[in-house]
């Protein structure tokens, strides 16, 4: 059976690439986007950002993928944009909505006195955000952010709805072709392994920060 | 880490091997009082949902069969892509939904007598596509796990085609409408029905990916259970009901069993 699973693994490598691409781009861009939008939120456009997070946290990600690929992009005459790009855009937007809310709870827990003191010293809104509120918010919310990234690797399987051959989809293809259920074990190990690595990385980060 | 993997592997093997038990379908169906028929609820006109109710040619045939076979049939919508797992693990007892009889599937699924003919046709809104050869370097949509998908994949042109395979027919058709694919390959029975119903103006090419027949699918060892259905199929030909159903959906008698 092991040799069969290895054969399957080689066959589904392109799917691993797709899952990783979505994961990596979202991992890299969603959080910075959330940071920028958080700043916008606490300074000027609060209702706009609140509306944004309400929409993207309030609807299923699968529905957003369907909407982006089958409705929004064709309506904008953007049918030449590749499937994976559309998926990545939807993921980044969706995850940034979650991160905005996570950051918001972290930001609210920062003592008001610190901010007022900084203001008295003449620090700008931006400086207060970057130097005082944001770092503390991030440190406090690291466990939540970690579990968000674990959710992300599992969520990549949702792209199957727009016919993108991610890892789980290719596994499913093998299952229905070979009529054997063992490849599902492979998929379980894959997701467990990735989430294990994510947890390890964030533990390291947490330790580093606690030493400071 | 290695130990963890080993534990996971052994555990899952145990779980999976316990699923492979023989299933005594006739006994289960008699006890339960009904058989469970899996169908893809987006596959009009064979089986689809309308107002939360299963409708279609295959569904109507199944309803006629219920009357002669001695037990009821429950219609269970399934994901077409996992139909084999559903059948194998006993979640459903038969697959009946424009299921094309293919050589590949014959290795895993036991088929009833064929009851309808079908072709896998190429449908496009691109005027430059007029033959299979024109599909080279084009995006071609098929439903994942469908006979169309198998027909295209096993054709020599497959390596030059960018195959796009959403899991439902609704999405395959949407891809064609949005022009995110250049052509689709689909059951002729279905596309003719949809084009007439929705007034769609697509081109169906003369060249196609082959003719085939539809059959009801059963677990590989369920010969006895399958024979009940074969007999019932000829019974509904005998009592004229099959002809009635065919005329209702296709305006002519296409039912193959004489």
């Amino acid at each position: 059976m092991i040799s069969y699973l290895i054969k399957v693994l080689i066959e589904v490598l392109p799917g691993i690439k797709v899952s990783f691409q979505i994961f990596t781009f979202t991992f890299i861009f969603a959080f910075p986007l959330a940071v920028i939008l958080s700043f916008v939120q606490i300074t000027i456009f609060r209702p706009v950002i609140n509306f944004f997070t309400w929409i993207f946290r309030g609807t299923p990600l699968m529905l957003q993928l369907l909407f982006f690929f089958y409705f929004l992009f064709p309506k904008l005459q953007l049918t030449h944009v590749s499937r994976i790009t559309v998926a990545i855009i939807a993921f980044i937007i969706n995850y940034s909505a979650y991160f905005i809310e996570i950051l918001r709870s972290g930001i609210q827990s920062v003592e008001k006195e610190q901010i007022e003191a900084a203001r008295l010293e003449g620090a700008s809104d931006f400086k207060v955000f970057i130097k005082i509120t944001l770092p503390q918010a991030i440190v406090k919310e690291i466990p939540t952010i970690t579990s968000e990234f674990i959710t992300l690797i599992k969520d990549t399987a949702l792209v199957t709805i727009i016919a993108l051959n991610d890892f789980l989809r290719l596994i499913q293809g093998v299952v229905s072709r070979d009529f054997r259920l063992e490849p599902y074990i492979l998929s379980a190990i894959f997701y467990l392994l990735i989430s294990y690595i994510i947890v390890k990385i964030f533990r390291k980060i947490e330790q580093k920060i606690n030493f400071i | 880490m290695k130990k963890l993997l080993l534990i996971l592997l052994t555990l899952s093997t145990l779980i999976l091997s316990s699923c492979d038990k023989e299933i005594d379908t006739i006994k289960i169906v008699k006890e339960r009082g009904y058989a469970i028929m899996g169908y893809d609820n987006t596959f009009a006109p064979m089986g689809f949902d309308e107002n939360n109710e299963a409708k279609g040619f295959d569904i109507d045939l199944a309803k006629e069969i219920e009357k002669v076979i001695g037990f009821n049939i429950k219609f269970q919508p399934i994901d077409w892509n996992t139909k084999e797992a559903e059948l194998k693990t006993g979640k459903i007892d038969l697959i009946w939904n424009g299921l094309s009889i293919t050589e590949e599937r014959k290795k895993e699924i036991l088929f009833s007598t064929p009851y309808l003919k079908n072709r896998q046709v190429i449908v496009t809104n691109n005027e430059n596509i007029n033959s299979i050869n024109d599909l080279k370097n084009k995006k071609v949509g098929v439903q994942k796990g469908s006979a169309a998908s198998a027909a295209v994949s096993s054709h020599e042109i497959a390596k030059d085609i960018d195959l796009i395979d959403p899991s439902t027919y609704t999405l395959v058709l949407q891809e064609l409408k949005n022009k995110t694919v250049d052509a689709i390959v689909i059951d002729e029975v279905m596309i003719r029905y949809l084009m007439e119903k929705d007034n769609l103006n697509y081109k169906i090419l003369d060249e196609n990916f082959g003719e085939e027949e539809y059959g009801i699918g059963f677990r590989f060892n369920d010969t006895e259970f399958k024979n009940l259905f074969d007999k019932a199929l000829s019974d509904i030909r005998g009592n004229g009901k099959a002809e009635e159903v065919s005329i209702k959906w296709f305006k002519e008698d296409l039912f193959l069993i004489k």
Side-chain angles (χ1 to χ4, degrees):
Chain A
M1 190 182 91
I2 299 291
S3 69
Y4 170 70
L5 288 184
I6 290 170
K7 212 185 83 204
V8 173
L9 187 65
I10 292 166
E11 194 185 330
V12 300
L13 276 178
I16 293 185
K17 194 180 147 205
V18 169
S19 297
F20 259 121
Q21 272 178 322
I22 297 163
F23 178 80
T24 316
F25 280 104
T26 313
F27 189 91
I28 296 172
F29 292 110
F31 194 73
L33 178 64
V35 169
I36 295 166
L37 293 177
S38 287
F39 180 66
V40 175
Q41 185 185 38
I42 52 178
T43 47
I44 27 181
F45 296 124
R46 181 178 292 277
V48 179
I49 303 294
N50 285 350
F51 182 74
F52 170 80
T53 57
W54 176 58
I55 293 290
F56 284 96
R57 289 198 316 157
T59 56
L61 178 51
M62 189 185 266
L63 190 64
Q64 291 163 24
L65 284 166
L66 283 170
F67 173 78
F68 272 69
F69 186 74
Y70 287 107
F71 183 79
L72 185 64
F73 277 67
K75 273 277 173 297
L76 300 172
Q77 307 292 329
L78 293 170
T79 50
H80 56 277
V81 180
S82 75
R83 247 157 247 271
I84 186 135
T85 313
V86 177
I88 289 169
I89 291 171
F91 265 80
I92 291 176
I93 294 176
N94 178 278
Y95 270 80
S96 69
Y98 280 92
F99 285 135
I100 289 171
E101 286 301 307
I102 290 168
L103 282 175
R104 195 172 63 90
S105 92
I107 288 166
Q108 278 173 350
S109 70
V110 175
E111 290 164 23
K112 297 282 166 296
E113 290 81 359
Q114 291 186 23
I115 298 167
E116 279 159 24
R119 286 251 166 75
L120 282 174
E121 295 287 328
S124 64
D125 279 351
F126 183 68
K127 219 159 189 182
V128 170
F129 180 72
I130 288 293
K131 299 271 183 191
I132 296 173
T133 42
L134 182 65
Q136 295 188 59
I138 292 177
V139 169
K140 182 166 177 292
E141 297 298 331
I142 278 186
T144 325
I145 294 168
T146 313
S147 71
E148 220 30 57
F149 281 123
I150 292 175
T151 313
L152 170 60
I153 187 63
K154 292 177 291 176
D155 273 357
T156 56
L158 290 174
V159 297
T160 183
I161 196 71
I162 57 169
L164 252 176
N165 288 315
D166 75 298
F167 175 68
L168 190 56
R169 183 177 229 258
L170 290 188
I171 288 282
Q172 251 168 14
V174 173
V175 167
S176 67
R177 186 199 58 202
D178 294 352
F179 219 62
R180 292 176 66 165
L181 299 172
E182 294 94 329
Y184 283 137
I185 303 170
L186 259 190
S187 56
I189 293 172
F190 171 78
Y191 292 107
L192 283 172
L193 206 66
I194 305 290
S195 43
Y196 177 81
I197 295 168
I198 297 170
V199 169
K200 277 278 162 206
I201 292 174
F202 277 90
R203 282 277 151 75
K204 278 264 147 58
I205 295 176
E206 232 173 309
Q207 280 166 2
K208 276 244 167 77
I209 290 170
N210 286 342
F211 278 127
I212 295 168
Chain B
M1 194 65 210
K2 260 189 197 147
K3 254 187 201 159
L4 187 75
L5 283 182
L6 208 68
I7 293 168
L8 277 172
L9 216 68
T10 7
L11 257 181
S12 14
T13 322
L14 279 176
I15 296 167
L16 286 173
S17 54
S18 63
C19 302
D20 275 352
K21 270 186 305 193
E22 280 280 306
I23 299 171
D24 186 350
T25 311
I26 293 186
K27 191 168 156 246
I28 293 170
V29 167
K30 286 269 147 71
E31 276 171 15
R32 204 203 281 127
Y34 57 87
I36 304 172
M37 162 182 149
Y39 73 106
D40 169 2
N41 58 359
T42 69
F43 195 67
M46 308 310 284
F48 58 102
D49 283 355
E50 208 173 67
N51 305 323
N52 289 322
E53 213 185 311
K55 292 234 167 92
F57 176 76
D58 285 343
I59 302 286
D60 282 349
L61 281 187
K63 283 179 179 162
E64 291 305 328
I65 285 207
E66 270 186 323
K67 292 174 192 161
V68 295
I69 206 167
F71 51 80
N72 289 328
I73 298 173
K74 193 183 150 203
F75 307 120
Q76 175 63 50
I78 55 165
D79 183 340
W80 201 237
N81 192 31
T82 52
K83 58 185 177 303
E84 293 87 357
E86 298 264 358
L87 187 64
K88 198 179 186 185
T89 55
K91 300 272 179 296
I92 58 175
D93 303 311
L94 59 145
I95 306 171
W96 191 355
N97 192 191
L99 179 65
S100 308
I101 304 174
T102 64
E103 285 308 313
E104 273 298 300
R105 283 177 182 164
K106 268 191 196 163
K107 290 179 203 153
E108 313 287 0
I109 296 175
L110 183 67
F111 281 101
S112 70
T113 322
Y115 63 92
L116 198 73
K117 267 200 191 340
N118 176 51
R119 294 189 302 168
Q120 293 299 338
V121 293
I122 303 159
V123 183
T124 179
N125 43 21
N126 180 336
E127 56 190 37
N128 296 323
I129 296 177
N130 293 302
S131 69
I132 289 183
N133 261 331
D134 295 339
L135 294 177
K136 269 195 184 139
N137 304 318
K138 292 278 192 297
K139 289 188 179 129
V140 178
V142 293
Q143 186 195 23
K144 190 168 174 58
S146 68
S149 166
V152 177
S153 306
S154 61
H155 194 275
E156 56 182 17
I157 198 151
K159 58 182 190 305
D160 302 317
I161 283 181
D162 187 2
L163 200 65
I164 306 288
D165 54 351
S167 56
T168 67
Y169 261 117
T170 324
L171 292 180
V172 177
L173 289 161
Q174 191 64 38
E175 298 256 358
L176 184 66
K177 199 173 146 206
N178 289 348
K179 300 193 174 165
T180 43
V181 296
D182 302 292
I184 62 173
V185 179
I186 190 168
D187 296 56
E188 185 176 24
V189 171
M190 181 186 201
I191 194 68
R192 294 229 183 262
Y193 170 83
L194 289 179
M195 281 172 63
E196 192 186 300
K197 183 172 143 276
D198 298 339
N199 263 324
L200 302 172
N201 204 5
Y202 296 134
K203 184 170 64 177
I204 299 179
L205 304 192
D206 294 331
E207 206 176 354
N208 61 63
F209 278 98
E211 195 176 274
E212 60 190 24
E213 292 166 334
Y214 287 155
I216 311 170
F218 301 92
R219 270 181 288 277
F220 205 70
N221 299 321
D222 270 351
T223 320
E224 219 182 313
F225 187 56
K226 175 205 99 121
N227 289 341
L228 293 178
F229 276 83
D230 275 345
K231 184 172 177 302
L233 280 172
S234 59
D235 285 351
I236 60 169
R237 161 56 87 194
N239 68 15
K241 292 295 182 192
E243 188 181 344
E244 250 174 56
V245 172
S246 181
I247 286 168
K248 173 181 167 192
W249 288 97
F250 302 123
K251 300 194 179 72
E252 52 186 316
D253 183 8
L254 299 175
F255 195 66
L256 282 183
I257 295 160
K258 296 296 162 203

